[in-house]
Amino acid sequence: MEVDTDRTLESGVVRDFLRDLVQVDRPGTPLPPFDTVVEEIHQLGVEPGTPVMVAMPNGAPFVTVVCALLVRGAVPVLLPPSAPPSRIERMARALGADALIAPRVPPGPHAGVPPRTLGGFARFARLSGVDTLRYRPGEIILLTSGTSGVFSGCLHRVDSLLRNAGRHARAIGQSVADSVLISLPMHYSYAFVAQLLATFVTGGRAVIAGPPFTPAHYHRTIQEHGVTVSSLTPTMVESWLGAGERLPAPLRRLTVGGDACAASSVADVLKHNAGLELYLTYGLTEAGPRVSTLAAHLEPPFRHGSVGLPLPGVQVRLRTADADDRVGELIVETDTGMLRRVGRRDEPEPPVSGSTTSISTGDLFERDDDGYLYFRGRRPSYVISRGEKVSLKSVCALAETIPGVQGAEAWTHENTAGDVVFTLDVYCADPSIDEQEIRRRLATVLLRSEQPARLLIHPATDLGWRKSAGK
């Protein structure tokens, strides 16, 4: 199986890729020629090295805009399409990006000049009050609210992301003959690199749908469009298993990434879907992003709780408190790692040795004698909430910016459904502040997945004596 890891985002190659792309939820949506969009971006004054925030939902317009920016030499910043205006404004200041492309531009953030149309499917706006920064052509910023915090991103070279995408494609046997369903949010590195770019480097066909995910829509899309490769999160796998159906026959390969997938769920998927190739993967945005893969259908059941072996070109080790410890923080060394973290001025750049970057993952792993990796937990400053990684430190810091709030603490627990959620304890010097007011202020910045399941108010004098955790 040939994977063209030297394939670059040149206009002609992108045109061919877009021509074959299928958009399930909005079929027949007309798009202007790709070169026309590139020229429009030029006419809008976007210079090479300029960071441009892109807040668009999954679809051909998203792919067109991101590729056009890269061809122009600009630096896309991939934002959640649901990001509230105040979140966008804070991201703009943190990353030095004064340009925004979105389906609709909310009133207020642009610099007094009415937003302009781009391609007939999006709006382009300049934002005021931003000290602009310049990056280099061929770079891109991927956000991760989990490991890097809410208002920061990972600066990558696009060519290294294409290299990582090629490695992932080889690991799962993806080829030019495959039709790949992209139903995960494409502003996340897993979907953008392991699905979109992996399909690009193999020359296959991309089928874009969702989110949101529902078993019925997923089943129908695979059948109607002959999907052969798909990726799900563990939460989606559980939803599918709960529906009690088999995966449709066209699907030959399923990859599972995100949080750890339960070994019992792996066994259930394999038991009820004979002949399916099931791959469990682990990665993080800082690493560019995929780190390891397990071909679960080829492994004995006792390895179904593993995320496999590191990809070629990736080295891993465990940082432990004592030499005899079996579990430690996973350290990844790879030539596809981020160039640096942007948006946080108080953190040093990751150490670089030759062409490789060392990434501290914040995730706890065990490694067996054969080198297989087993996820054992993560540092308490991060949590998987509603299927997405959330920085509790960032949520607390945001709460503490609210006038009258003296401090905030977050802690994780299970809800009645057995899901891991978190409670936010807020300590207020102003007794008039209530839960509704704090939630309202947090909602102007945080995404739904970053909202606490419970928010409890305490007097400022109780700071350090968290009542809700049972202290």
Side-chain angles (χ1 to χ4, degrees):
M1 190 270 298
E2 293 294 327
V3 176
D4 186 7
T5 54
D6 293 327
R7 202 174 196 196
T8 59
L9 289 165
E10 298 176 351
S11 292
V13 182
V14 173
R15 281 197 302 269
D16 293 342
F17 182 69
L18 290 171
R19 182 193 61 221
D20 296 334
L21 185 149
V22 176
Q23 183 167 287
V24 174
D25 300 323
R26 292 179 294 276
T29 302
L31 290 175
F34 178 70
D35 291 341
T36 299
V37 178
V38 176
E39 178 58 25
E40 285 188 32
I41 288 174
H42 170 65
Q43 294 298 325
L44 289 168
V46 177
E47 298 295 332
T50 300
V52 179
M53 297 179 293
V54 180
M56 300 182 67
N58 280 17
F62 169 90
V63 180
T64 300
V65 165
V66 173
C67 290
L69 289 169
L70 291 170
V71 166
R72 171 62 185 153
V75 178
V77 180
L78 307 190
L79 298 184
S82 59
S86 58
R87 174 71 162 261
I88 292 174
E89 292 175 23
R90 292 190 64 167
M91 288 302 313
R93 293 194 298 271
L95 303 177
D98 69 347
L100 168 68
I101 297 176
R104 292 167 298 279
V105 176
H110 54 84
V113 178
R116 297 169 63 181
T117 298
L118 173 62
F121 55 77
R123 305 283 282 172
F124 175 90
R126 291 284 184 183
L127 279 64
S128 60
V130 177
D131 293 329
T132 57
L133 298 176
R134 287 293 178 267
Y135 301 91
R136 293 177 297 181
E139 295 178 343
I140 187 171
I141 296 175
L142 306 179
L143 305 187
T144 166
S145 65
T147 306
S148 294
V150 172
F151 299 109
S152 63
C154 302
L155 182 68
H156 284 277
R157 290 286 304 175
V158 174
D159 56 5
S160 73
L161 296 183
L162 290 168
R163 189 182 315 126
N164 188 278
R167 290 171 179 171
H168 172 76
R170 286 194 183 94
I172 68 171
Q174 184 176 330
S175 74
V176 66
D178 282 309
S179 293
V180 181
L181 175 60
I182 306 176
S183 55
L184 304 175
M186 284 198 291
H187 65 278
Y188 284 140
S189 61
Y190 185 88
F192 184 75
V193 178
Q195 293 190 275
L196 181 65
L197 294 188
T199 306
F200 178 83
V201 299
T202 58
R205 182 180 67 137
V207 179
I208 302 178
F213 170 86
T214 65
H217 185 255
Y218 182 65
H219 189 285
R220 185 170 59 252
T221 300
I222 291 174
Q223 286 189 316
E224 292 181 356
H225 297 279
V227 170
T228 58
V229 178
S230 173
S231 297
L232 297 177
T233 66
T235 301
M236 292 176 178
V237 170
E238 295 301 325
S239 176
W240 179 261
L241 290 173
E245 298 184 39
R246 292 187 58 185
L247 292 165
L251 190 68
R252 296 197 298 268
R253 299 181 185 89
L254 176 66
T255 71
V256 181
D259 199 10
C261 191
S264 59
S265 298
V266 174
D268 283 347
V269 171
L270 293 175
K271 178 181 178 181
H272 295 103
N273 298 277
L276 178 73
E277 297 179 18
L278 178 61
Y279 298 90
L280 309 181
T281 78
Y282 167 78
L284 70 165
T285 305
E286 290 85 344
R290 306 325 298 159
V291 170
S292 68
T293 300
L294 178 84
H297 55 288
L298 300 177
E299 296 287 352
F302 71 83
R303 283 214 175 108
H304 288 172
S306 169
V307 291
L309 298 169
L311 296 175
V314 178
Q315 302 294 323
V316 300
R317 58 186 173 85
L318 299 183
R319 177 189 289 153
T320 59
D322 298 306
D324 296 334
D325 288 349
R326 297 281 299 176
V327 176
E329 181 185 7
L330 186 71
I331 308 299
V332 176
E333 295 181 356
T334 175
D335 60 354
T336 64
M338 66 178 181
L339 296 171
R340 67 180 186 275
R341 186 170 286 117
V342 291
R344 287 178 59 172
R345 314 297 184 217
D346 59 344
E347 190 162 336
E349 294 183 11
V352 178
S353 177
S355 62
T356 64
T357 302
S358 181
I359 304 295
S360 299
T361 67
D363 291 333
L364 303 177
F365 275 84
E366 183 176 349
R367 195 178 192 187
D368 68 16
D369 293 338
D370 295 317
Y372 285 79
L373 294 168
Y374 295 80
F375 178 79
R376 297 304 188 215
R378 79 179 13 99
R379 285 181 173 177
S381 56
Y382 311 113
V383 65
I384 295 295
S385 175
R386 298 182 179 96
E388 298 187 14
K389 197 173 182 181
V390 178
S391 168
L392 300 185
K393 181 179 179 181
S394 290
V395 174
C396 291
L398 284 170
E400 289 170 355
T401 65
I402 298 173
V405 173
Q406 293 292 313
E409 296 178 337
W411 56 282
T412 62
H413 54 94
E414 288 189 359
N415 61 16
T416 55
D419 301 319
V420 176
V421 295
F422 72 95
T423 288
L424 184 67
D425 287 289
V426 181
Y427 300 86
C428 300
D430 182 353
S432 68
I433 300 177
D434 59 13
E435 176 187 353
Q436 183 177 2
E437 173 64 12
I438 292 177
R439 283 194 178 276
R440 184 187 67 78
R441 287 176 175 267
L442 291 177
T444 65
V445 179
L446 296 177
L447 304 178
R448 181 176 178 273
S449 63
E450 296 165 343
Q451 299 282 351
R454 294 191 301 173
L455 194 154
L456 303 175
I457 307 294
H458 309 285
T461 52
D462 288 345
L463 186 59
W465 297 89
R466 190 172 61 205
K467 294 181 177 180
S468 52
K471 284 190 176 180

